[in-house]
Amino acid sequence: MNMPVTTSPLLQAARLWLQREAPQLPESLCAAIEVLYLAVEAGHVCIQVDGHESAGWLQSGWVGEPGAYCPFTLEKGASSTRFYLARYQQYETAVADSLRQRAAKELQPADAAALHRDLDALFGTDPQDRQRLAALLAQFRALTLVSGGPGTGKTTTVVKMLALLQAQAGNTPLRILLAAPTGKAAQRLSESIRTAKQKLSLPEAVIASIPEAAQTLHRLLGAQGDTGRFRHDGKNPLACDLLLVDEASMIDLGLMQAMLAALPENARLVLLGDRDQLASVEAGSVFGDLCAGEGMSAGLAGQLRAYGVELTATPASSPLADCRIELTHSYRFASGSGIAALAKASRSGNSAEFLHALDAGTDVSRVTASALRENVQAGYAAFRSAAREGDALAAFAAFLQFRVLCAHRLGAAGVQGLNALMEAGQPQWYVGRPVIVRANDYALRLFNGDIGICLPTADGLRVFFETAPGEFRALAPGRLPAHEPAWAMTVHQSQGSEFDEVLLVLPEVVSAVLDRPLIYTAVTRAKSRFSLCGEDAVLSAALATLPQRESGLVEKLQSDN
């Protein structure tokens, strides 16, 4: 194992710690620790090591088997030996145990006849309707995983799912909590549920029992500053019968463990997400791991058959197989949509198909590097006009019409370069300046990722933040915590958001962050138009790269230990 050369602050801190606390550790162990820290920083949960060589590390006192009180854990898997920071091995084990137990819990509808009637009222009688199947699935399992791309109706489906569950609950409605990993995703979930409720054809009491207010997972769990601790945990669980979490692909391993620890043992859990999107910024690709595998048990197939769903039982490759469903039909894009074609091509990694669709579609286009500034200026023209009027509602609505996305933060084709392009010749603060908060400030109730817009007021320039749909508060620019311009953002930052039009700017050369999920995520942020500024070779290299984060979660889910 070669010693890595890096300027990573995390790795430098680890090296200093090792030199101070354990200068006599075996060279092979020191090298593995350095590689492990780099891997965790890149999103991996663990690394694979040589089983024979690593066995000697257990004598050092710094490495233990699962359950031992040591900084590092060595775990013998079915086909490999994995090396962890101890807390990540503990998180992974706790997540697997909790989800496996919930998946094994079978439930029965209280009134089968009423359920059959309500299903037909909400979905019709098509036995192949996967939205109908998803809503029905939640009647029989305490854990439900719903994956689907943009426009496949995840939120519509889940609102009907909640309506069916509330109808079955009778005079004692379920206590339902709604959450998402980010504030923007939570706001979108609230808006989507509010809209979907208006279309339900069920008794008003049932519809009223479905909540609309979603919050971030950190706020729901009661994050105690930046300590990593939460007010709600196994000793102080959430007061709920059902927790619904949207944008589950953004949940990292540590946050998933904290959420499951705070969830009452008998509560239902519904996770919505897109298995093909970018994984969380922090360690783990939890939702992707949970959605891995196929199959359906004969028992569940029989239960579904009683409600008009004809599915063939097949051997399940995961104990979670009976708990998940993927929605595949997009209601947002027409069959000839260029965005739909790009999404399909990026999911499969077919660069030839992607480039053909990019040149043939009416709602997709290319932008040359020489025309980039002109296109960005034109894209934000409506927003700038709305901002000059000083109307916060109109300005925020216009800001969602167009967004520049980048793969990188640095460089001319990165966020900083595009932001500099837009702010050239401007004072520090000006009318229509959009900013994104980069640090949590609990006193100001501003959090990393919050968007503000600088608008004119009678008291001078103020930065407006949306506190609820159609409601805003204004702060003097000097009061803001760490922030930066938001004309452009990384694709990672855009997760949980949607825009009418997206312009994706790729770097001039291939880099480590470019991969298939990044392209797919960028394309699927667009609702009506997508443009690409970048070279074909760079795009093709990205689509050919399908990252795999090292993890033992899939194997742990299949274990009875």
Side-chain angles (χ1 to χ4, degrees):
M1 188 180 298
N2 296 323
M3 294 284 284
V5 178
T6 179
T7 57
S8 161
L10 179 63
L11 182 54
Q12 295 300 326
R15 284 174 172 167
L16 291 173
W17 173 68
L18 286 169
Q19 292 169 5
R20 183 180 67 250
E21 301 293 337
Q24 304 304 318
L25 286 183
E27 182 179 346
S28 62
L29 175 54
C30 289
I33 290 173
E34 293 197 0
V35 173
L36 176 60
Y37 272 101
L38 285 176
V40 169
E41 202 167 32
H44 301 278
V45 176
C46 59
I47 61 172
Q48 294 188 25
V49 295
D50 180 85
H52 178 73
E53 180 182 38
S54 61
W57 301 347
L58 297 171
Q59 310 304 315
S60 69
W62 289 82
V63 181
E65 295 178 330
Y69 187 71
C70 294
F72 304 98
T73 300
L74 196 65
E75 180 181 83
K76 189 72 172 178
S79 59
S80 64
T81 299
R82 295 183 288 267
F83 187 50
Y84 293 84
L85 290 170
R87 69 178 182 276
Y88 284 114
Q89 194 277 338
Q90 294 163 5
Y91 290 163
E92 199 172 75
T93 299
V95 167
D97 289 347
S98 176
L99 291 175
R100 193 172 56 249
Q101 291 166 12
R102 292 180 189 279
K105 192 176 299 182
E106 296 188 12
L107 306 172
Q108 293 294 331
D111 187 334
L115 175 58
H116 213 304
R117 180 196 65 224
D118 292 341
L119 267 172
D120 292 347
L122 290 172
F123 294 99
T125 59
D126 181 2
Q128 303 301 315
D129 185 347
R130 296 183 73 82
Q131 291 189 354
R132 189 178 194 272
L133 173 57
L136 186 56
L137 196 63
Q139 298 288 331
F140 300 108
R141 293 295 184 272
L143 172 67
T144 307
L145 309 171
V146 182
S147 177
T152 53
K154 293 190 296 293
T155 306
T156 300
T157 300
V158 84
V159 168
K160 294 179 180 180
M161 176 193 295
L162 297 180
L164 290 172
L165 290 170
Q166 290 289 35
Q168 288 289 308
N171 296 325
T172 308
L174 299 173
R175 298 169 299 168
I176 298 174
L177 293 176
L178 309 175
T182 67
K184 179 58 67 176
Q187 181 180 332
R188 280 190 54 236
L189 177 60
S190 297
E191 294 169 353
S192 298
I193 287 182
R194 189 177 302 112
T195 300
K197 281 176 62 176
Q198 298 172 0
K199 303 175 183 178
L200 294 180
S201 54
L202 287 176
E204 187 60 37
V206 171
I207 298 174
S209 67
I210 302 173
E212 300 174 0
Q215 54 190 314
T216 66
L217 275 171
H218 282 84
R219 189 169 296 180
L220 176 73
L221 297 176
Q224 298 179 334
D226 293 322
T227 65
R229 295 190 294 271
F230 299 91
R231 185 173 69 254
H232 290 290
D233 54 20
K235 297 179 180 178
N236 180 31
L238 296 165
C240 71
D241 301 304
L242 187 151
L243 172 61
L244 166 68
V245 185
D246 196 10
E247 297 292 348
S249 64
M250 300 170 65
I251 305 175
D252 62 82
L253 181 63
L255 184 56
M256 181 67 77
Q257 184 276 330
M259 181 191 77
L260 292 171
L263 191 62
E265 182 179 344
N266 294 322
R268 298 173 187 259
L269 175 63
V270 180
L271 298 179
L272 306 181
D274 186 342
R275 62 185 296 180
D276 296 305
Q277 271 191 204
L278 282 165
S280 59
V281 175
E282 303 296 331
S285 53
V286 182
F287 191 68
D289 288 345
L290 302 187
C291 292
E294 304 294 339
M296 175 179 291
S297 70
L300 178 60
Q303 289 175 311
L304 298 176
R305 194 174 299 115
Y307 293 87
V309 177
E310 291 293 337
L311 290 175
T312 303
T314 55
S317 57
S318 165
L320 272 56
D322 280 356
C323 302
R324 60 192 179 214
I325 181 71
E326 183 169 10
L327 305 180
T328 55
H329 178 72
S330 178
Y331 297 88
R332 178 187 299 172
F333 306 119
S335 58
S337 161
I339 297 177
L342 293 185
K344 178 183 176 183
S346 55
R347 285 185 68 181
S348 63
N350 191 325
S351 59
E353 183 180 309
F354 189 103
L355 293 170
H356 174 75
L358 188 63
D359 292 327
T362 57
D363 56 346
V364 297
S365 61
R366 295 177 184 264
V367 172
T368 62
S370 61
L372 180 58
R373 179 183 175 86
E374 177 185 346
N375 276 266
V376 174
Q377 295 281 11
Y380 282 121
F383 162 67
R384 283 178 150 168
S385 177
R388 285 193 291 270
E389 297 297 321
D391 184 332
L393 184 62
F396 271 84
F399 194 55
L400 291 176
Q401 292 178 9
F402 176 78
R403 194 59 45 88
V404 179
L405 301 183
C406 305
H408 293 272
R409 288 184 50 77
L410 304 179
V415 169
Q416 291 185 358
L418 270 296
N419 281 332
L421 187 71
M422 291 297 292
E423 296 210 312
Q426 296 277 13
Q428 180 180 5
W429 289 100
Y430 54 89
V431 172
R433 187 191 193 207
V435 295
I436 183 169
V437 174
R438 303 305 300 147
N440 295 333
D441 189 318
Y442 294 90
L444 288 176
R445 304 191 310 281
L446 290 178
F447 301 93
N448 190 1
D450 286 352
I451 295 291
I453 297 175
C454 187
L455 299 174
T457 73
D459 299 318
L461 295 179
R462 292 293 183 267
V463 183
F464 285 72
F465 292 89
E466 191 168 17
T467 56
E471 298 179 11
F472 304 88
R473 64 190 178 105
L475 297 173
R479 297 187 62 194
L480 299 190
H483 59 275
E484 62 187 34
W487 294 108
M489 60 173 54
T490 64
V491 178
H492 274 93
Q493 289 173 331
S494 75
Q495 285 186 273
S497 299
E498 290 181 339
F499 311 100
D500 290 341
E501 182 178 350
V502 163
L503 168 56
L504 174 62
V505 181
L506 296 180
E508 294 182 354
V509 296
V510 177
S511 71
V513 304
L514 286 173
D515 56 32
R516 192 181 304 175
L518 183 137
I519 303 298
Y520 172 79
T521 302
V523 168
T524 55
R525 297 312 90 201
K527 293 192 292 185
S528 60
R529 185 166 187 81
F530 175 84
S531 300
L532 176 71
C533 180
E535 298 295 327
D536 290 1
V538 174
L539 173 75
S540 297
L543 292 177
T545 304
L546 186 60
Q548 295 293 332
R549 290 188 171 183
E550 289 292 341
S551 161
L553 182 56
V554 172
E555 184 175 316
K556 286 184 174 69
L557 287 168
Q558 297 172 342
S559 171
D560 294 329
N561 298 328

